[in-house]
Amino acid sequence: MSGIIVNGGSLPNIPWEDRPSSGTGSDPKKDIMWRYSKNPVIPRDLTLRSNSIFNSAVVPFKNEFAGVFRCDDTARHMDIHAGRSKDGINWKIDDEPVKFIKNNPELPDSDYKYDPRVIWIEDRYYIIWCNGYNGPCLGMAYTNDFENFYQMENPMMPYNRNGALFPRKIETNGVRNYAMYSRPSDSGHTPFGDIWYSESPDFIYWGKHRHVMSPNGGWQSTKVGAGPCPIETTEGWLLFYHGVLTSCNGFVYSFSAALMDLDKPWKVIARPRPYIINPREIYELAGDVPNVTFPVASLVDKDTGKVAVYYGCADTVTGLVFGNISEIVDWVKKNKI
Amino acid sequence: MSGIIVNGGSLPNIPWEDRPSSGTGSDPKKDIMWRYSKNPVIPRDLTLRSNSIFNSAVVPFKNEFAGVFRCDDTARHMDIHAGRSKDGINWKIDDEPVKFIKNNPELPDSDYKYDPRVIWIEDRYYIIWCNGYNGPCLGMAYTNDFENFYQMENPMMPYNRNGALFPRKIETNGVRNYAMYSRPSDSGHTPFGDIWYSESPDFIYWGKHRHVMSPNGGWQSTKVGAGPCPIETTEGWLLFYHGVLTSCNGFVYSFSAALMDLDKPWKVIARPRPYIINPREIYELAGDVPNVTFPVASLVDKDTGKVAVYYGCADTVTGLVFGNISEIVDWVKKNKI
Amino acid sequence: MSGIIVNGGSLPNIPWEDRPSSGTGSDPKKDIMWRYSKNPVIPRDLTLRSNSIFNSAVVPFKNEFAGVFRCDDTARHMDIHAGRSKDGINWKIDDEPVKFIKNNPELPDSDYKYDPRVIWIEDRYYIIWCNGYNGPCLGMAYTNDFENFYQMENPMMPYNRNGALFPRKIETNGVRNYAMYSRPSDSGHTPFGDIWYSESPDFIYWGKHRHVMSPNGGWQSTKVGAGPCPIETTEGWLLFYHGVLTSCNGFVYSFSAALMDLDKPWKVIARPRPYIINPREIYELAGDVPNVTFPVASLVDKDTGKVAVYYGCADTVTGLVFGNISEIVDWVKKNKI
Amino acid sequence: MSGIIVNGGSLPNIPWEDRPSSGTGSDPKKDIMWRYSKNPVIPRDLTLRSNSIFNSAVVPFKNEFAGVFRCDDTARHMDIHAGRSKDGINWKIDDEPVKFIKNNPELPDSDYKYDPRVIWIEDRYYIIWCNGYNGPCLGMAYTNDFENFYQMENPMMPYNRNGALFPRKIETNGVRNYAMYSRPSDSGHTPFGDIWYSESPDFIYWGKHRHVMSPNGGWQSTKVGAGPCPIETTEGWLLFYHGVLTSCNGFVYSFSAALMDLDKPWKVIARPRPYIINPREIYELAGDVPNVTFPVASLVDKDTGKVAVYYGCADTVTGLVFGNISEIVDWVKKNKI
Amino acid sequence: MSGIIVNGGSLPNIPWEDRPSSGTGSDPKKDIMWRYSKNPVIPRDLTLRSNSIFNSAVVPFKNEFAGVFRCDDTARHMDIHAGRSKDGINWKIDDEPVKFIKNNPELPDSDYKYDPRVIWIEDRYYIIWCNGYNGPCLGMAYTNDFENFYQMENPMMPYNRNGALFPRKIETNGVRNYAMYSRPSDSGHTPFGDIWYSESPDFIYWGKHRHVMSPNGGWQSTKVGAGPCPIETTEGWLLFYHGVLTSCNGFVYSFSAALMDLDKPWKVIARPRPYIINPREIYELAGDVPNVTFPVASLVDKDTGKVAVYYGCADTVTGLVFGNISEIVDWVKKNKI
Amino acid sequence: MSGIIVNGGSLPNIPWEDRPSSGTGSDPKKDIMWRYSKNPVIPRDLTLRSNSIFNSAVVPFKNEFAGVFRCDDTARHMDIHAGRSKDGINWKIDDEPVKFIKNNPELPDSDYKYDPRVIWIEDRYYIIWCNGYNGPCLGMAYTNDFENFYQMENPMMPYNRNGALFPRKIETNGVRNYAMYSRPSDSGHTPFGDIWYSESPDFIYWGKHRHVMSPNGGWQSTKVGAGPCPIETTEGWLLFYHGVLTSCNGFVYSFSAALMDLDKPWKVIARPRPYIINPREIYELAGDVPNVTFPVASLVDKDTGKVAVYYGCADTVTGLVFGNISEIVDWVKKNKI
């Protein structure tokens, strides 16, 4: 059997709906993942001053759920807010953004923060986001309680976005390093973008940068970027990733999933030609940025293989889709380029 | 008490709805202005050949209301039509555009006209709009009856848009001049734009140009422009103005309000970080130009402080929002940058 | 009486709805064509792997209907699929794209295919489409049964799109040639485009290229391109064509119809200022490419003058509008520029 | 006889060289104007900190010559310096930029100054230049002695460059106004530009803006702008003006001369197809901006019709060309478009 | 022995200089072709009104030489002039452009003409150039005497440049057709461009378009285009072609030569990595368009293998380089990519 | 006394010419550095296949000099060649590029290499350059003999250029790290660019990225980048750096020098408004990229304070300028912004 989840725990309370009996098209089976019936799961104005809540990350936390949320306020300032939920569906998000604790005064400032990912590694939760420090680059922090967040060194220089940390160290020739995917970019609405892999012994210094994958036509012809932190399976790292197509009227963000080598995660085992989710619901087609479906977090239940992916919709609200890890792994291999 | 309307009359028949009991977000109080429940107040095809009716201006007129309306016809030609209404809600707009009377044959021609503002100054109504004369510049005319419109000299050279006249003269060092805000631009879909102030002794020659305000991040990071003619209050001139943010998929037009010095209207007293209204209804998100809310006219009732703002929606239809002058003035001061 | 269909047969089973009693605007008569009440007539996911079905062409076929359909799959790869229908409304489209038979190994390859037109000339159906061969150019094929399609030489070099063949030869000075309209372009989302006319003695070699018409302001200010194959009437060739306007947020595709000289089809008899159809329904305003109405096929009934035009909506689904040839011809002449 | 100078005095000491016996081409007569044999007349580093001296203006002054010079310093900051010369050839330019005296504290600031023109009107010398005040706009000042310069109001809003004042008032319907040509632009390296005409009763307020002329193909296909202040002749105002052509490697600035109506100077009497001077010497082809010849000042001798035009070369040094007013007037009429 | 000229005659009076004893670099042998010591061979102002003479084509004619020359006049209007020379070095070029005789009134007009090639085929000289007819496309004409030129149909639709005819018909499967290379482009300073091959039975209708070669890095990374008409050798067609590299300061035009299959000239036998000639002399580096060396004509002597290539320099003057066909053929094969 | 060289040795054979008695301008003292009288010191075609040799780095080596040189070959392929010289003036550069030895097969490939810097740190020479690995990023290697070069990990992800290593470790809070300046960029001719500082314990992993300095108007308004490796003086690190101004005809590269804090080299002590060297000689104004002076290497003599800077000229040849460290340090402080 394929696609057994390796690194992850039981999550019996994962938010969930079974696959609907009819798909969106001619064949009920054609949708490998399906939308939550009450999408958007998080509305745009859940907090006091929010203009939009999207591209947000959640994790299991003390038998419930916690997360860090991109909330643009009504000044359209971008920041990260913490939130909690009993069921992963109904969220209470703080009205005030996270105030990161800076133990070293030389740590860089941050003009804005967006698109956070969160993951448990070893002994704490690590947050990684796109940080405004003389241009978009990656910012990092850790927390144990989603109340106190400790700022770390920026891992990379500008211009870089879409950092996704691995849940465990990667060992090469006896060296065990932390690892991440990220996407070098430019200072604006970058019209190109590849996924890269980097390692670090200590989260401070990074190196051994390897190119992972480039745009490849169709829905992923302009740029690609890592979504949620990769999921370890028996078949390889399963990476949800977004791709962008440029129409005459702008970018279209869809997403799919790829399988990466367990030991050398910069090597692609299988990458599909089709997307899994693309903008087709009205809350994905219209909003602050039309035509965006952008995954940033996943919850998985090791026992059942269930996966729930949170994704930003039209840069305005947060959506939720469901699937099964082993079905997705099979589909990726079957549809590989 | 703040924000008493100074220059303006009683308008007991101002179009009006009270603030709804629940806001659009978590807090019913968070919306400083609220939409008319039957928006769009003016549909796109109200006249015989109109493709769209938006960015249009209205004034009290003989106990009822009159206005000048941007009607793009089905050739997408832009022109100004006159209209009347008993209640400011139900409008009768002329099928034919205004034919401006030109008493001087040397007055410039006009290839197109759009985004009119209208205001009563001293003894007549003045109309100011974006006029196509070798590029977009400002055009002016006056009327007493909304039937005969007399063309005046173009006040400015190209490229200039969003002219908003003051309802009375401004006095500096004993010199009393007419005044306006406007926004220098380029010949296309200008990706920049500041608000400027100018004076004239006679509406023919203009000078003493002063820079007023620039883009300032977030929703107002690409350009800003004056909306309706400024409203005189005890706290300063209240100016509704639009701001533009550039996403990867184009411009997003929101609007807010600022307070300007009564004697030196080129000095900003308070300018808020947040917008008041942004595109979030489907008629604002989808249309000929997605994601536009663009204010061009206001009605105010001196007795109650009520204000009704007409604004273009998606460059397709006209919307209406309500608020209270003193609340808005307080909010502007409280939220100043 | 004007606008009698000359070249075409009886089509009593043409898909049809009568004009609704009220138009979309103030005057029920103002809409010269009207939408099918159950639009979109073809949904985006009718085939197994389709992302979208639009810009597709149909013809009468053995008392029923057949067609070639642009189906982008969920990889956003563009290809042509064949389909059949009894009524022109309910379609069965093949899940697999057409596999073109290539009798000459030197015939160029094709990276992708889109926007097909189809027409009966003399003894068979000819298909013409935009073909990916080192850039977008025209591809051609013929079929007799919509099962076997035979690839022909590409008629033009890149960069060229929107080819529309004439249903019969055109005679000039005793020379009788096949003819087409097409639109030279560039290699991307071309921001310009005129309609041209070309002739060929044999569908292999083409020449006598003549410029036909350029953009002309308003809805047709950026580019224009032929839609369905021209319809022969007593008043001239009736050509549905699309036009593009560039707003600050992208292209807007509308369409109208023009009358061309019967003997010298590169001469325009009448071309209207207004569009006939523009994006205003939600399935035209939102989708993979917002704000697109793009005609590619028409069915006509010689006996009644009825015409049904299939058009792509938002590059996602297929719409259908109805009209009457003689009314349209009159309207074109009355509204000529 | 054509082209008699009307408004201007005797200038027997005008810098001068006779036409060389052989032209640059096949016909010694083909050059209507000819370069000073020791060009560049002003080198780039004449002052202590100058990077370049070009686009500079001179006038007769107390039997000698004075001028205002665009000197970019080695920080590439642009400013205006005053200078004197006995012969118009050998110049002493101040090392420090002009410090303009501002009698009104509300007068706008200036971030930079460039491309000055200077002219005597009635009782003093007026300087007009491109002034950095929230973008490029026109700045004005006057002087009587080229030692004290008094700043005036900016005559126009941004974005505007290439202002050229008329040497006397223009009368229309009994109204006598000062007048100028200028060129509305955008905030950068503007890729368009027409010449406009404006009037003012007092140099403070300006209006009656009239479009004068647009680009017209060839060397003047991208933009045109007024050069030196217009020269009054019996045949009309003679206006030297620059035109820009955009090659694949950037702008090319050439210049020519046009004749304008004496009473309505916004009407063009004759405008030539050819340029008079274009970049062909190495100091015009290479420098801070390759391929620029840009006229900003002229000296004329009423008695002989001699004219000497100072022009910027490659935005680096100043060149000088000679000609005869009546020959130029004849040539303009003969070569009119 | 390689590279024997097949199609061509004796040309003992070919303009010629022997290879200089020292090359431009460390090795006297490294230059495969060498410049004429008195370059530029044709100055910019040889005719009465010429601004520049470049990108011009010559042929042997009645024991002397004739040619068609791109002469931009001082309005920067582009046109073709005829010229004669006894030695190929000293030219007499007509002051007036060629007036093409149009025997069919329906033949397209021409707004401008540039970059002509000329070649003898069967019984006359054919001229092909870039012709302004609603954008740049190819124009054609023939002459027998370089006095009377007869206009033909434009062979291709816009946008197309750099047409180079073959000196004889190409036979495929028993069909013998005329043939040409050309380069599809866009309407401006095209930033892309491949060489294509097309055939025609009669010079009127063209088809069987085949892609030949694309840009390929380095000096030929932006676009490539055919230069002079191909030269038939025992090793294949020898095609001089230009390539463009885009630096931060614009296009750089270099040229080299490739070998094409004799029977299927759309197949490349050998194409070199290095250029042969690039801009390095001052008349190539500075001028109306800096950094251009652009070949358009060659003279060959069948007896000696000598070749003289005329090329445009900086879009301003005409240069001449010399080489030996068999050396060039060897070099192309040795340096193939 | 200011500006004593701290880290560096005696270099009595430094290439040298005394300051000429007259400067290029009005004051012989105004040039803080002066050009070698026989510039360019390295011609474009010194090696067998070189198109150009520029942006190249040299160091003292065994009482003579060695270096790594950017040699673009005649295919315009960019690579690094080693070279030796007895006097720093006359160079012997290898005809073949360096073949880097790769001891780890996972080390990234390199499509091209350009703009190398070289410096001695502790026990060997380190080379750093712009390396083509899925876009421009930094590449590193070391050598002891300029014969064997050992490739190291790429220190940074794309897109990054202009890396300049420090000659010794920097200590902060007891941590001693290697350090470098670099300039994040985009994938093309980047129109922006700041200098950043990074540290590494081992040359493999890098972090503690700090922003150093941004563009600042005038000659340095578009981007800035480190030049040669910083020179340690008693007053701080002296950093030669280039700046770019964007004219309407492209980039202009000038250079100057700044003083940085010895302990916190990301803090700027003094940065001048003026440039030191800008393009004004013909070999700097014309070439493969006009208007470039780009410093990449310096030689210093600790005993005399002499400094010789090698800089690329027009991306074609290599120039040399001379100066005195203490004079330069004084000038930087005196001219600070």
Side-chain angles (χ1 to χ4, degrees), chain F residues 55 115 117 162 226 242 253 255 292-296 310-313 315:
Chain F
N55 300 359
D115 295 358
R117 276 80 168 178
N162 295 309
H242 68 263
Y253 284 78
F255 69 86
V292 180
T293 52
F294 188 95
V296 279
Y310 293 81
Y311 67 104
C313 303
D315 274 19

PDB file of all heavy atoms in Angstrom, chain F residues 55 115 117 162 226 242 253 255 292-296 310-313 315:
ATOM      1  N   ASN F  55      36.019  43.516 -15.500  1.00  0.00           N
ATOM      2  CA  ASN F  55      35.500  43.088 -14.198  1.00  0.00           C
ATOM      3  C   ASN F  55      36.324  41.914 -13.667  1.00  0.00           C
ATOM      4  O   ASN F  55      35.810  40.829 -13.409  1.00  0.00           O
ATOM      5  CB  ASN F  55      34.021  42.683 -14.303  1.00  0.00           C
ATOM      6  CG  ASN F  55      33.148  43.821 -14.788  1.00  0.00           C
ATOM      7  OD1 ASN F  55      33.645  44.913 -15.036  1.00  0.00           O
ATOM      8  ND2 ASN F  55      31.860  43.584 -14.913  1.00  0.00           N
ATOM      9  N   ASP F 115      32.433  38.278 -13.160  1.00  0.00           N
ATOM     10  CA  ASP F 115      32.715  39.281 -12.145  1.00  0.00           C
ATOM     11  C   ASP F 115      33.361  38.696 -10.884  1.00  0.00           C
ATOM     12  O   ASP F 115      32.858  38.884  -9.759  1.00  0.00           O
ATOM     13  CB  ASP F 115      31.429  40.040 -11.773  1.00  0.00           C
ATOM     14  CG  ASP F 115      30.890  40.861 -12.941  1.00  0.00           C
ATOM     15  OD1 ASP F 115      31.529  40.870 -14.004  1.00  0.00           O
ATOM     16  OD2 ASP F 115      29.825  41.475 -12.784  1.00  0.00           O
ATOM     17  N   ARG F 117      35.860  38.211  -7.694  1.00  0.00           N
ATOM     18  CA  ARG F 117      36.740  38.886  -6.744  1.00  0.00           C
ATOM     19  C   ARG F 117      37.664  37.817  -6.171  1.00  0.00           C
ATOM     20  O   ARG F 117      37.286  36.652  -6.098  1.00  0.00           O
ATOM     21  CB  ARG F 117      35.959  39.535  -5.608  1.00  0.00           C
ATOM     22  CG  ARG F 117      35.405  40.916  -5.909  1.00  0.00           C
ATOM     23  CD  ARG F 117      34.148  40.863  -6.710  1.00  0.00           C
ATOM     24  NE  ARG F 117      33.477  42.165  -6.766  1.00  0.00           N
ATOM     25  CZ  ARG F 117      32.379  42.380  -7.446  1.00  0.00           C
ATOM     26  NH1 ARG F 117      31.826  41.410  -8.168  1.00  0.00           N
ATOM     27  NH2 ARG F 117      31.823  43.574  -7.443  1.00  0.00           N
ATOM     28  N   ASN F 162      27.828  40.313  -6.929  1.00  0.00           N
ATOM     29  CA  ASN F 162      28.735  41.265  -6.295  1.00  0.00           C
ATOM     30  C   ASN F 162      29.087  40.875  -4.866  1.00  0.00           C
ATOM     31  O   ASN F 162      29.009  41.686  -3.947  1.00  0.00           O
ATOM     32  CB  ASN F 162      28.121  42.676  -6.329  1.00  0.00           C
ATOM     33  CG  ASN F 162      27.993  43.171  -7.759  1.00  0.00           C
ATOM     34  OD1 ASN F 162      28.953  43.139  -8.509  1.00  0.00           O
ATOM     35  ND2 ASN F 162      26.798  43.586  -8.137  1.00  0.00           N
ATOM     36  N   ALA F 226      28.893  46.227  -3.843  1.00  0.00           N
ATOM     37  CA  ALA F 226      30.284  46.225  -3.410  1.00  0.00           C
ATOM     38  C   ALA F 226      31.205  45.988  -4.595  1.00  0.00           C
ATOM     39  O   ALA F 226      30.869  45.249  -5.527  1.00  0.00           O
ATOM     40  CB  ALA F 226      30.504  45.136  -2.364  1.00  0.00           C
ATOM     41  N   HIS F 242      30.157  50.415  -6.573  1.00  0.00           N
ATOM     42  CA  HIS F 242      29.590  51.043  -7.760  1.00  0.00           C
ATOM     43  C   HIS F 242      28.159  51.470  -7.491  1.00  0.00           C
ATOM     44  O   HIS F 242      27.481  50.937  -6.606  1.00  0.00           O
ATOM     45  CB  HIS F 242      29.637  50.084  -8.966  1.00  0.00           C
ATOM     46  CG  HIS F 242      28.739  48.905  -8.828  1.00  0.00           C
ATOM     47  ND1 HIS F 242      29.174  47.667  -8.383  1.00  0.00           N
ATOM     48  CD2 HIS F 242      27.425  48.732  -9.086  1.00  0.00           C
ATOM     49  CE1 HIS F 242      28.180  46.818  -8.357  1.00  0.00           C
ATOM     50  NE2 HIS F 242      27.090  47.426  -8.781  1.00  0.00           N
ATOM     51  N   TYR F 253      27.098  53.336 -14.927  1.00  0.00           N
ATOM     52  CA  TYR F 253      27.807  52.805 -13.753  1.00  0.00           C
ATOM     53  C   TYR F 253      28.986  53.700 -13.398  1.00  0.00           C
ATOM     54  O   TYR F 253      29.944  53.799 -14.171  1.00  0.00           O
ATOM     55  CB  TYR F 253      28.358  51.411 -14.040  1.00  0.00           C
ATOM     56  CG  TYR F 253      27.357  50.284 -14.023  1.00  0.00           C
ATOM     57  CD1 TYR F 253      26.503  50.063 -15.097  1.00  0.00           C
ATOM     58  CD2 TYR F 253      27.271  49.416 -12.941  1.00  0.00           C
ATOM     59  CE1 TYR F 253      25.585  49.018 -15.085  1.00  0.00           C
ATOM     60  CE2 TYR F 253      26.358  48.361 -12.927  1.00  0.00           C
ATOM     61  CZ  TYR F 253      25.528  48.164 -13.991  1.00  0.00           C
ATOM     62  OH  TYR F 253      24.631  47.126 -13.982  1.00  0.00           O
ATOM     63  N   PHE F 255      31.617  54.879  -9.800  1.00  0.00           N
ATOM     64  CA  PHE F 255      31.970  54.296  -8.498  1.00  0.00           C
ATOM     65  C   PHE F 255      32.577  55.309  -7.554  1.00  0.00           C
ATOM     66  O   PHE F 255      33.061  56.350  -7.957  1.00  0.00           O
ATOM     67  CB  PHE F 255      32.806  53.033  -8.625  1.00  0.00           C
ATOM     68  CG  PHE F 255      34.211  53.163  -9.126  1.00  0.00           C
ATOM     69  CD1 PHE F 255      35.255  53.448  -8.249  1.00  0.00           C
ATOM     70  CD2 PHE F 255      34.521  52.918 -10.448  1.00  0.00           C
ATOM     71  CE1 PHE F 255      36.571  53.505  -8.692  1.00  0.00           C
ATOM     72  CE2 PHE F 255      35.832  52.990 -10.899  1.00  0.00           C
ATOM     73  CZ  PHE F 255      36.861  53.287 -10.028  1.00  0.00           C
ATOM     74  N   VAL F 292      29.993  52.286 -18.587  1.00  0.00           N
ATOM     75  CA  VAL F 292      30.250  51.481 -17.401  1.00  0.00           C
ATOM     76  C   VAL F 292      31.674  51.682 -16.895  1.00  0.00           C
ATOM     77  O   VAL F 292      32.636  51.534 -17.655  1.00  0.00           O
ATOM     78  CB  VAL F 292      30.044  49.969 -17.673  1.00  0.00           C
ATOM     79  CG1 VAL F 292      30.319  49.157 -16.408  1.00  0.00           C
ATOM     80  CG2 VAL F 292      28.643  49.690 -18.180  1.00  0.00           C
ATOM     81  N   THR F 293      31.799  52.032 -15.620  1.00  0.00           N
ATOM     82  CA  THR F 293      33.073  51.923 -14.884  1.00  0.00           C
ATOM     83  C   THR F 293      32.750  51.150 -13.618  1.00  0.00           C
ATOM     84  O   THR F 293      31.966  51.590 -12.790  1.00  0.00           O
ATOM     85  CB  THR F 293      33.663  53.312 -14.538  1.00  0.00           C
ATOM     86  OG1 THR F 293      32.678  54.107 -13.876  1.00  0.00           O
ATOM     87  CG2 THR F 293      34.107  54.038 -15.797  1.00  0.00           C
ATOM     88  N   PHE F 294      33.357  49.970 -13.472  1.00  0.00           N
ATOM     89  CA  PHE F 294      32.903  48.981 -12.503  1.00  0.00           C
ATOM     90  C   PHE F 294      34.106  48.371 -11.794  1.00  0.00           C
ATOM     91  O   PHE F 294      34.806  47.518 -12.354  1.00  0.00           O
ATOM     92  CB  PHE F 294      32.130  47.905 -13.288  1.00  0.00           C
ATOM     93  CG  PHE F 294      31.409  46.896 -12.449  1.00  0.00           C
ATOM     94  CD1 PHE F 294      30.067  47.060 -12.139  1.00  0.00           C
ATOM     95  CD2 PHE F 294      32.045  45.753 -11.989  1.00  0.00           C
ATOM     96  CE1 PHE F 294      29.377  46.121 -11.393  1.00  0.00           C
ATOM     97  CE2 PHE F 294      31.367  44.792 -11.234  1.00  0.00           C
ATOM     98  CZ  PHE F 294      30.031  44.981 -10.939  1.00  0.00           C
ATOM     99  N   PRO F 295      34.362  48.782 -10.525  1.00  0.00           N
ATOM    100  CA  PRO F 295      35.578  48.338  -9.839  1.00  0.00           C
ATOM    101  C   PRO F 295      35.422  46.942  -9.242  1.00  0.00           C
ATOM    102  O   PRO F 295      34.389  46.622  -8.663  1.00  0.00           O
ATOM    103  CB  PRO F 295      35.722  49.363  -8.716  1.00  0.00           C
ATOM    104  CG  PRO F 295      34.308  49.725  -8.370  1.00  0.00           C
ATOM    105  CD  PRO F 295      33.530  49.643  -9.682  1.00  0.00           C
ATOM    106  N   VAL F 296      36.433  46.095  -9.362  1.00  0.00           N
ATOM    107  CA  VAL F 296      36.365  44.756  -8.770  1.00  0.00           C
ATOM    108  C   VAL F 296      37.617  44.331  -8.029  1.00  0.00           C
ATOM    109  O   VAL F 296      37.606  43.291  -7.378  1.00  0.00           O
ATOM    110  CB  VAL F 296      36.053  43.673  -9.823  1.00  0.00           C
ATOM    111  CG1 VAL F 296      34.571  43.632 -10.116  1.00  0.00           C
ATOM    112  CG2 VAL F 296      36.837  43.899 -11.072  1.00  0.00           C
ATOM    113  N   TYR F 310      41.488  48.195 -10.196  1.00  0.00           N
ATOM    114  CA  TYR F 310      41.161  47.683 -11.528  1.00  0.00           C
ATOM    115  C   TYR F 310      39.649  47.747 -11.694  1.00  0.00           C
ATOM    116  O   TYR F 310      38.908  47.342 -10.794  1.00  0.00           O
ATOM    117  CB  TYR F 310      41.625  46.233 -11.673  1.00  0.00           C
ATOM    118  CG  TYR F 310      43.125  46.082 -11.644  1.00  0.00           C
ATOM    119  CD1 TYR F 310      43.808  46.073 -10.431  1.00  0.00           C
ATOM    120  CD2 TYR F 310      43.854  45.939 -12.808  1.00  0.00           C
ATOM    121  CE1 TYR F 310      45.186  45.944 -10.389  1.00  0.00           C
ATOM    122  CE2 TYR F 310      45.238  45.814 -12.775  1.00  0.00           C
ATOM    123  CZ  TYR F 310      45.900  45.811 -11.568  1.00  0.00           C
ATOM    124  OH  TYR F 310      47.263  45.693 -11.534  1.00  0.00           O
ATOM    125  N   TYR F 311      39.221  48.228 -12.841  1.00  0.00           N
ATOM    126  CA  TYR F 311      37.776  48.362 -13.041  1.00  0.00           C
ATOM    127  C   TYR F 311      37.427  48.031 -14.485  1.00  0.00           C
ATOM    128  O   TYR F 311      38.198  48.286 -15.415  1.00  0.00           O
ATOM    129  CB  TYR F 311      37.309  49.779 -12.670  1.00  0.00           C
ATOM    130  CG  TYR F 311      37.809  50.883 -13.573  1.00  0.00           C
ATOM    131  CD1 TYR F 311      36.970  51.467 -14.511  1.00  0.00           C
ATOM    132  CD2 TYR F 311      39.119  51.342 -13.490  1.00  0.00           C
ATOM    133  CE1 TYR F 311      37.420  52.478 -15.351  1.00  0.00           C
ATOM    134  CE2 TYR F 311      39.583  52.343 -14.324  1.00  0.00           C
ATOM    135  CZ  TYR F 311      38.727  52.908 -15.253  1.00  0.00           C
ATOM    136  OH  TYR F 311      39.186  53.894 -16.084  1.00  0.00           O
ATOM    137  N   GLY F 312      36.260  47.438 -14.665  1.00  0.00           N
ATOM    138  CA  GLY F 312      35.772  47.132 -15.997  1.00  0.00           C
ATOM    139  C   GLY F 312      35.305  48.389 -16.696  1.00  0.00           C
ATOM    140  O   GLY F 312      34.687  49.263 -16.075  1.00  0.00           O
ATOM    141  N   CYS F 313      35.588  48.496 -17.992  1.00  0.00           N
ATOM    142  CA  CYS F 313      35.254  49.675 -18.780  1.00  0.00           C
ATOM    143  C   CYS F 313      34.306  49.241 -19.900  1.00  0.00           C
ATOM    144  O   CYS F 313      34.691  48.458 -20.776  1.00  0.00           O
ATOM    145  CB  CYS F 313      36.506  50.282 -19.399  1.00  0.00           C
ATOM    146  SG  CYS F 313      37.771  50.711 -18.186  1.00  0.00           S
ATOM    147  N   ASP F 315      32.092  47.212 -20.069  1.00  0.00           N
ATOM    148  CA  ASP F 315      31.992  45.749 -20.142  1.00  0.00           C
ATOM    149  C   ASP F 315      32.835  45.178 -21.281  1.00  0.00           C
ATOM    150  O   ASP F 315      32.469  44.166 -21.897  1.00  0.00           O
ATOM    151  CB  ASP F 315      30.536  45.297 -20.307  1.00  0.00           C
ATOM    152  CG  ASP F 315      29.825  45.172 -18.960  1.00  0.00           C
ATOM    153  OD1 ASP F 315      30.302  45.761 -17.981  1.00  0.00           O
ATOM    154  OD2 ASP F 315      28.799  44.480 -18.894  1.00  0.00           O
TER     155      ASP F 315
END
